Amino acid sequence: MKNILITGGAGFIGSHLVRLLVRKYPDSLIVNLDKLTYAGNLLNLADIEKSPNYRFVKGDIVDEKLVFSLFKEYDIDTVVHLAAESHVDRSIANPMEFVHTNVTGTVNLLNAARHQWKNGSESNRFYHISTDEVYGSLGETGLFTEKTPYDPRSPYSASKASSDHFVRAYFHTYGMPVILSNCSNNYGPNQFPEKLIPLFINNIINKKPLPVYGKGENVRDWLYVIDHARAIDTILTKGRSGETYNIGGHNEWKNIDLIRLLCSIMDKKLGRPVGTSESLISFVKDRAGHDMRYAIDAGKVKMELGWEPSVSFEQGLEKTVDWYLSNEEWLRQVTSGNYLDYYREQYEER
Ligand code: NAD
Ligand code: DAU
């Protein structure tokens, strides 16, 4: 690896990955291309922004001229593609934005890589970061494996599935050296407070209601974000071209149970009487098309590449809460302005 383009590196997962790679590979150049949408934040990278092997470029992955010129200017040989619209509720409200960024943006990057690499050699790699949501929704038993047929059910997961198909099509059609991974729900520091855990932490701090969709019985498989970044590094350096790897925490939680655990941690940390945070729970109208259960079989990445999660959920959740409580300025900055309009539109009518 010499010149690595990371897209979406100012977002939640991207910023943890950029930090890991910048520190671990001082001889590689890490170029971070990010549009800085509402979800991108350069504060996430303040500690590494002056590193000699790091460059930030503000721009859109859909911008053909910009993307082609970046490949040339930095002689990019490796891509790790994370930039995306990532929130299911926003995709229900505005699907077209998801097609634009997640599908057209991905194909634009593939075209630029193909142009620069002339179909690619062993030293090139186009690594596409995807989600377990492309596999659809599980019943009470079973796990998603790499062979589970695609069955996306939200505009977000349909756009991610479409981008996955394009990436594989470039492998088969043009011999592009691609690799994919599909990960379960991430949590940890720097996650935008539209997603369940940071949204509820922020609401508990501010004594606002906790809007639980439906009966809170949906199940997600949670993974600490730094473990995801470690998995991406492992797959990038050791994974086989053309392969897909599922990544997950083997850590399934019913939403309501997770929320109760979070509430008890928050009461302790904030010095509030037991039960204070739980009293904020409010059951609201369910998400349209709400997938019931996700759970990943991460056996392949463990067997072939030796990766497994290192942080337990209890540890990870506590670290996450501590981070939000000691980064009030970050939280205040991202929950002002447009966030208030988003919150009103999403939750006032529920
Ligand atoms: P995020 O929403 O926190 O960050 C997305 C980043 O992409 C932001 O920095 C944003 O500014 C940037 N971006 C958006 N549109 C862009 C565009 N057109 N051009 C350039 N940059 C753009 O997302 P995240 O949660 O960090 O997810 C990152 C990737 O991982 C996504 O592809 C997502 O589908 C995937 N993923 C996320 C999870 C999860 O639990 N968060 C799980 C599995 C997979
Ligand atoms: O599984 C991987 C996916 O996980 C990623 O691909 C997505 O980018 C990421 O957003 C996440 O999707 P989810 O829809 O599972 O995450 P979210 O945090 O939005 O919701 C988690 C669960 O909590 C889900 O069952 C819906 C529920 N929920 C969510 C919110 C925001 C609530 O009950 N209330 C809420 O206010």
Side-chain angles (χ1 to χ4, degrees):
M1 288 189 288
K2 294 186 304 288
N3 301 322
I4 308 170
L5 176 67
I6 299 188
T7 69
F12 167 47
I13 301 168
S15 59
H16 288 282
L17 180 70
V18 166
R19 178 175 300 102
L20 175 71
L21 299 189
V22 163
R23 288 186 178 156
K24 188 166 173 187
Y25 303 111
D27 295 334
S28 290
L29 179 69
I30 313 296
V31 180
N32 173 12
L33 170 62
D34 197 296
K35 188 178 170 183
L36 298 183
T37 67
Y38 76 92
N41 190 340
L42 289 180
L43 275 182
N44 294 347
L45 291 165
D47 56 329
I48 56 100
E49 69 186 358
K50 295 206 166 69
S51 307
N53 62 334
Y54 172 70
R55 302 283 183 284
F56 173 69
V57 179
K58 182 175 186 308
D60 192 332
I61 54 166
V62 178
D63 182 340
E64 188 175 336
K65 207 164 146 221
L66 170 75
V67 171
F68 274 65
S69 73
L70 271 185
F71 269 80
K72 195 151 182 243
E73 182 181 349
Y74 293 104
D75 192 15
I76 296 298
D77 50 48
T78 303
V79 176
V80 188
H81 173 36
L82 296 100
E85 287 295 331
S86 67
H87 191 39
V88 173
D89 291 327
R90 289 186 195 253
S91 82
I92 295 168
N94 184 10
M96 200 50 105
E97 191 69 31
F98 284 67
V99 176
H100 188 64
T101 290
N102 299 1
V103 185
T104 310
T106 300
V107 177
N108 192 39
L109 285 163
L110 285 164
N111 284 342
R114 192 174 158 230
H115 180 80
Q116 179 76 9
W117 302 342
K118 313 286 174 232
N119 297 336
S121 69
E122 271 305 294
S123 59
N124 297 127
R125 179 140 288 178
F126 190 106
Y127 183 177
H128 179 60
I129 305 300
S130 192
T131 170
D132 60 358
E133 299 198 12
V134 297
Y135 298 123
S137 181
L138 291 165
E140 283 185 6
T141 57
L143 299 172
F144 296 134
T145 74
E146 289 80 0
K147 293 198 166 63
T148 303
Y150 274 30
D151 182 22
R153 298 150 61 99
S154 73
Y156 163 68
S157 53
S159 70
K160 291 296 291 186
S162 171
S163 63
D164 293 8
H165 290 320
F166 270 103
V167 171
R168 292 197 181 95
Y170 274 58
F171 172 75
H172 291 291
T173 308
Y174 306 115
M176 168 82 66
V178 309
I179 205 155
L180 295 92
S181 58
N182 295 72
C183 188
S184 64
N185 285 61
N186 285 214
Y187 71 99
N190 308 89
Q191 189 170 30
F192 192 80
E194 61 187 351
K195 309 280 164 58
L196 179 74
I197 291 179
L199 185 128
F200 278 34
I201 292 174
N202 185 46
N203 284 13
I204 291 172
I205 294 172
N206 295 298
K207 299 191 177 154
K208 280 172 60 178
L210 306 177
V212 180
Y213 295 165
K215 294 183 180 151
E217 283 176 349
N218 305 65
V219 173
R220 297 292 183 266
D221 174 356
W222 294 92
L223 179 69
Y224 193 57
V225 63
I226 292 171
D227 274 333
H228 188 191
R230 285 178 45 248
I232 293 172
D233 175 38
T234 303
I235 292 166
L236 182 65
T237 49
K238 297 195 205 151
R240 287 180 292 132
S241 191
E243 290 292 317
T244 295
Y245 298 89
N246 279 357
I247 308 169
H250 290 297
N251 178 41
E252 291 182 51
W253 284 79
K254 213 179 250 192
N255 288 344
I256 192 67
D257 296 337
L258 184 164
I259 291 160
R260 291 203 172 108
L261 173 63
L262 180 64
C263 285
S264 74
I265 297 176
M266 291 297 288
D267 283 348
K268 251 185 251 146
K269 298 272 176 191
L270 292 168
R272 292 179 184 166
V274 173
T276 308
S277 301
E278 260 199 61
S279 70
L280 297 169
I281 290 177
S282 158
F283 292 93
V284 299
K285 189 170 154 226
D286 208 352
R287 173 184 277 175
H290 196 173
D291 288 339
M292 182 46 79
R293 175 171 164 258
Y294 305 144
I296 281 277
D297 177 348
K300 177 175 172 181
V301 68
K302 182 177 177 189
M303 292 275 292
E304 282 191 17
L305 309 180
W307 175 89
E308 57 186 331
S310 67
V311 178
S312 76
F313 192 53
E314 286 71 9
Q315 278 173 340
L317 203 52
E318 197 159 330
K319 277 174 192 259
T320 304
V321 168
D322 287 342
W323 187 86
Y324 282 94
L325 291 179
S326 52
N327 284 274
E328 269 176 48
E329 178 48 28
W330 185 96
L331 202 50
R332 199 196 51 73
Q333 199 212 62
V334 302
T335 54
S336 55
N338 291 344
Y339 181 80
L340 298 173
D341 297 332
Y342 166 77
Y343 201 89
R344 219 171 292 121
E345 279 162 30
Q346 197 54 239
Y347 292 100
E348 212 155 69
E349 299 287 294
R350 275 202 136 98

